[in-house]
Amino acid sequence: MPTPRSKDRFEFESTALLLQGGGALGAYQAGVYEALAEADILPDWIGGISIGAVNGAIIAGNKPAKRLEKLRGFWDQVSSNPLWDLYGCHSPVMQICGPAIRPYMHQISAGVSVTQGAPGFFKPHSMPPWFYPPGDPQAKSYYSTSEFRATLEKFIDFDFLNQDSVRFTTSAVNIRTGNYTIFDSTKQEIRPEHVMASGALPPALPAVEIDGDPYWDGGLISNTPLYWMIDTETQANMPVKDTLIFQVDLWSAEGEAPQDMIEVMSRQKEIQYSSRTRAITNLFKRQHRFQHAFAKLYEKFPDDLKQTDEAKILHADSRFSVHNIVHLIYRARHYQSYAKDYEFSRMSVTEHWREGYKDTVNSLRHEEIFHRPTCAEGHNIYDVSGTKGRVARESSGN
């Protein structure tokens, strides 16, 4: 069990939980939150994209005592297809054949998702989209999310979410303009369609209309919310705090060279999404280093230099705040393939949740993540190793 932390040992003013997109892998994020809650580490800012927006909205949209119940309720619902139970860990098939057939079970379960959908989340149209006339809603996606709004309203109290007890931020892409749009509970009312839009991944899922404009999944442009922590537009009129950031990534950058086309497709997907995370993390490191350095340098300026236009521009974008970033990365099992993000069987959901919990417990055992960085750059980045239970500090000086 994680050890609850007393507030006097906690050196940060704020705790942020950043949740990446990744479909069925999102159960890992629920396990992360369970371990944080047990350790009495409750985020005051949650940023989520796609399935991360769903998990984040469930957390932000419920009182702390209800959050785990609602998370479990959601994941139990979307993994409740009776066909999956034929291949579950307690099924006759598993009892007779054992784990040797797990790769085949994974593929069969993914096939169930493709043909049956996920209850309360998405379901296939009665005919393929090309059988519908142009302009028909069913001509523009393979699946319907007509039941998804009711599911969100069942597990999320949107009135509570909009009280700003926890700041909630998500994103989507405006189809007409191609612009990346951020939705933030401190600036607007968050409704079910904002969460649905963040997870509307084409061509599988249909676009979601918000105030007359159609939107797709925010992960099309950026699959990680980390940049929001230093983005001047996102931070406008908000106090910039010393923040402990838990960044939960569902795609690992590391992996073996593929041996067949299935592995090629799987590795391509992992690199596509994880490389964006790496790029944004590196951008965060560089930008925060300059912001932090100039904030200190500005204090040494004589008054006449502070009044120059150039100094005012730089000062407006400078930061004294410091950050620790703790990476929690889901690492796929050997039997998982290209379909792992849409394989919603109860067995896989349970495994993902357990892995998220275990990795977070391992990271919370390390006192260094709770101490404010003292380096010139103003941030430290840590990477949890789920296999060895240790946290490796990443250099912040590049």
Side-chain angles (χ1 to χ4, degrees), residues 27 62 106 275 290 350 366 388:
N62 285 285
H106 174 78
S275 63
F290 288 124
T350 300
H366 295 262
K388 297 182 180 179

Side-chain angles (χ1 to χ4, degrees), residues 24-28 75 79 84 87-89 102 105-107 109-110 330 333 335-336 339-355:
L25 303 179
Y28 179 88
W75 285 101
S79 63
W84 283 319
Y87 306 97
C89 55
R102 188 68 177 90
M105 294 162 59
H106 174 78
Q107 294 296 331
S109 296
Y330 175 75
R333 302 293 185 93
Y335 53 77
Q336 292 180 311
K340 57 181 170 286
D341 55 329
Y342 57 86
E343 198 270 279
F344 281 87
S345 70
R346 182 68 56 82
M347 180 164 57
S348 292
V349 163
T350 300
E351 288 174 350
H352 302 337
W353 188 305
R354 188 183 303 120
E355 288 297 312

Side-chain angles (χ1 to χ4, degrees), residues 379-397:
H379 63 263
N380 289 327
I381 300 177
Y382 300 92
D383 184 4
V384 64
S385 171
T387 55
K388 297 182 180 179
R390 60 182 173 82
V391 172
R393 177 179 170 183
E394 180 179 324
S395 172
S396 59

Side-chain angles (χ1 to χ4, degrees), residues 281-327:
T281 300
N282 289 334
L283 178 63
F284 173 92
K285 290 161 58 178
R286 290 193 298 271
Q287 184 164 333
H288 186 262
R289 185 175 70 220
F290 288 124
Q291 290 176 326
H292 197 74
F294 188 77
K296 292 183 176 180
L297 182 63
Y298 182 84
E299 290 192 325
K300 302 176 183 179
F301 283 178
D303 289 341
D304 59 337
L305 186 55
K306 288 181 179 180
Q307 298 307 311
T308 63
D309 291 340
E310 294 83 358
K312 290 179 180 178
I313 291 172
L314 291 171
H315 185 247
D317 199 33
S318 62
R319 298 283 187 271
F320 268 119
S321 59
V322 296
H323 303 82
N324 274 357
I325 302 174
V326 181
H327 273 166

Side-chain angles (χ1 to χ4, degrees), residues 40-255:
D40 196 29
I41 300 173
L42 303 181
D44 50 76
W45 186 1
I46 301 176
I49 296 172
S50 196
I51 197 64
V54 176
N55 284 325
I58 292 173
I59 297 167
N62 285 285
K63 295 180 180 179
K66 287 281 189 180
R67 290 171 181 171
L68 280 173
E69 173 191 332
K70 296 295 186 178
L71 282 169
R72 288 196 182 280
F74 171 78
W75 285 101
D76 282 349
Q77 175 165 320
V78 299
S79 63
S80 63
N81 193 314
L83 288 179
W84 283 319
D85 294 339
L86 295 174
Y87 306 97
C89 55
H90 301 297
S91 69
V93 175
M94 187 66 176
Q95 295 298 318
I96 295 172
C97 300
I101 66 164
R102 188 68 177 90
Y104 305 101
M105 294 162 59
H106 174 78
Q107 294 296 331
I108 292 171
S109 296
V112 172
S113 296
V114 170
T115 58
Q116 301 291 320
F121 190 174
F122 61 91
K123 61 181 180 180
H125 297 310
S126 56
M127 297 187 297
W130 46 85
F131 286 99
Y132 296 93
D136 189 295
Q138 298 179 97
K140 295 178 284 187
S141 67
Y142 290 103
Y143 297 90
S144 167
T145 53
S146 59
E147 299 176 359
F148 194 27
R149 173 184 285 271
T151 298
L152 294 177
E153 291 174 337
K154 177 181 177 181
F155 296 109
I156 301 167
D157 182 342
F158 283 92
D159 290 335
F160 183 83
L161 186 152
N162 286 294
Q163 290 177 5
D164 291 338
S165 57
V166 176
R167 183 182 181 185
F168 174 74
T169 308
T170 188
S171 67
V173 178
N174 187 306
I175 296 175
R176 291 196 176 101
T177 66
N179 290 336
Y180 189 67
T181 305
I182 294 174
F183 306 112
D184 193 297
S185 64
T186 64
K187 300 176 182 179
Q188 64 202 118
E189 179 185 1
I190 299 297
R191 304 187 299 270
E193 54 263 35
H194 294 102
V195 181
M196 294 175 67
S198 185
L201 183 64
L205 305 184
V208 175
E209 185 173 301
I210 301 175
D211 300 329
D213 285 322
Y215 287 86
W216 274 334
D217 193 313
L220 291 176
I221 291 180
S222 174
N223 198 38
T224 178
L226 178 62
Y227 186 72
W228 302 343
M229 301 303 301
I230 55 169
D231 178 55
T232 53
E233 181 179 349
T234 308
Q235 296 280 14
N237 302 318
M238 299 291 296
V240 182
K241 301 177 180 179
D242 296 344
T243 305
L244 175 60
I245 302 168
F246 292 91
Q247 179 174 314
V248 188
D249 297 342
L250 300 179
W251 304 95
S252 176
E254 297 180 354

